[in-house]
Amino acid sequence: MNTHNQIAIRNHTEEAGSIDYMHYINLLRRNLFKILIFSFVTVVIAYLVLMNVKNVYTAHSTIQIEEAQANIVSIQDVYGIPKNSEYLATQFQILKSRELARRVVLAQNLVSEPEFNPFHEENLQKFSVVDSVKDFVKSVISSGEGEGNLPRVIPEEEEIIKATTSVLMDHMTSQNVVNTSLVLISVSSYNPVLAKNLANSFGREYINFKLEEELGVTAQASDGLRERLDVL
């Protein structure tokens, strides 16, 4: 009797410890369609996300800041324009200034680029759930007040230029190479050609700005000398 009970207990233990593979196979078969649908949706979502991820290209340009020639230096001495380390620091701030970025915006016509102009038509046409909800709430409120739908406010040209300049400044970085008069300018964009053009444009506009500044100082000095000659 004891031997029979021991055999029965042993068989029951072996059955309890064994894995019923058919149960899991049948479970997979019953849910195969759901698994395939879930896998398909996951792959599609991953593909759409990867398709919407854009490559960012960064272009670099190097500018060497040099002090003016001897005849200009003497004029700068007269009018107290800083030189040497102070001069380099001043030029570095000019490269990072909003005024120079604005000149690049106008030179490269960045207002026509959706990446940099937040008011561009392509950006305004993009679907946004949040904006749609806001527009719906505004329409309900305005209809309740009897005002009707408010027309879209078209920004002025100067406002568009300011907004585009701000975006460009966020895409641009400048770094002073230690113990040199070199400045490394970097501009990022989804368009590699545009990034290169913008990096080069910062250098060109800086040179134009310096030429205008030197011409202005020279003209001012000439007027001063002319007035002294008239007095003599």
Side-chain angles (χ1 to χ4, degrees):
M1 185 68 179
N2 292 335
T3 303
H4 178 73
N5 291 337
Q6 290 177 356
I7 294 173
I9 292 173
R10 187 181 301 111
N11 292 336
H12 178 73
T13 303
E14 291 177 356
E15 291 177 0
S18 62
I19 299 176
D20 188 359
Y21 292 101
M22 292 302 301
H23 170 74
Y24 292 102
I25 293 175
N26 293 331
L27 185 63
L28 289 174
R29 287 178 178 176
R30 288 196 301 268
N31 296 278
L32 181 61
F33 181 75
K34 295 180 180 179
I35 295 174
L36 293 176
I37 291 297
F38 177 78
S39 301
F40 177 77
V41 172
T42 303
V43 171
V44 170
I45 293 175
Y47 174 77
L48 294 176
V49 171
L50 291 176
M51 288 296 294
N52 289 326
V53 174
K54 297 181 179 179
N55 295 326
V56 178
Y57 302 90
T58 302
H60 307 279
S61 64
T62 304
I63 298 177
Q64 183 176 6
I65 300 177
E66 295 181 348
E67 295 189 53
Q69 300 298 326
N71 56 337
I72 303 298
V73 171
S74 61
I75 296 174
Q76 290 175 334
D77 290 335
V78 172
Y79 287 93
I81 297 178
K83 303 182 297 180
N84 302 328
S85 60
E86 294 182 0
Y87 178 81
L88 294 177
T90 302
Q91 302 310 305
F92 184 66
Q93 292 301 320
I94 292 175
L95 285 169
K96 298 191 301 181
S97 66
R98 172 175 285 272
E99 175 59 27
L100 189 65
R102 188 179 189 277
R103 295 169 69 111
V104 174
V105 168
L106 297 177
Q108 295 296 316
N109 192 25
L110 284 187
V111 173
S112 62
E113 295 292 339
E115 180 183 357
F116 291 90
N117 180 9
F119 296 108
H120 195 277
E121 185 178 358
E122 292 186 11
N123 296 326
L124 297 178
Q125 291 177 352
K126 288 182 179 178
F127 175 77
S128 173
V129 176
V130 176
D131 292 338
S132 300
V133 173
K134 289 182 180 179
D135 293 339
F136 175 75
V137 173
K138 289 180 180 179
S139 63
V140 172
I141 295 175
S142 61
S143 61
E145 295 177 353
E147 297 179 357
N149 293 330
L150 297 176
R152 182 184 296 274
V153 178
I154 301 177
E156 297 181 357
E157 181 180 359
E158 186 60 30
E159 183 180 356
I160 295 175
I161 294 176
K162 288 182 179 180
T164 306
T165 301
S166 298
V167 175
L168 175 61
M169 294 180 69
D170 293 336
H171 284 68
M172 178 266 190
T173 59
S174 57
Q175 182 179 0
N176 186 17
V177 181
V178 181
N179 297 327
T180 68
S181 59
L182 300 177
V183 176
L184 179 65
I185 296 177
S186 303
V187 182
S188 300
S189 174
Y190 297 134
N191 187 336
V193 177
L194 181 59
K196 181 190 68 174
N197 293 338
L198 290 176
N200 293 331
S201 183
F202 268 98
R204 286 193 297 268
E205 293 305 319
Y206 170 75
I207 293 173
N208 293 335
F209 176 83
K210 292 302 299 176
L211 290 175
E212 294 173 6
E213 182 184 55
E214 291 174 3
L215 290 175
V217 171
T218 303
Q220 186 178 1
S222 299
D223 292 341
L225 291 175
R226 188 178 299 107
E227 291 177 359
R228 292 182 183 180
L229 290 175
D230 291 340
V231 171
L232 294 177

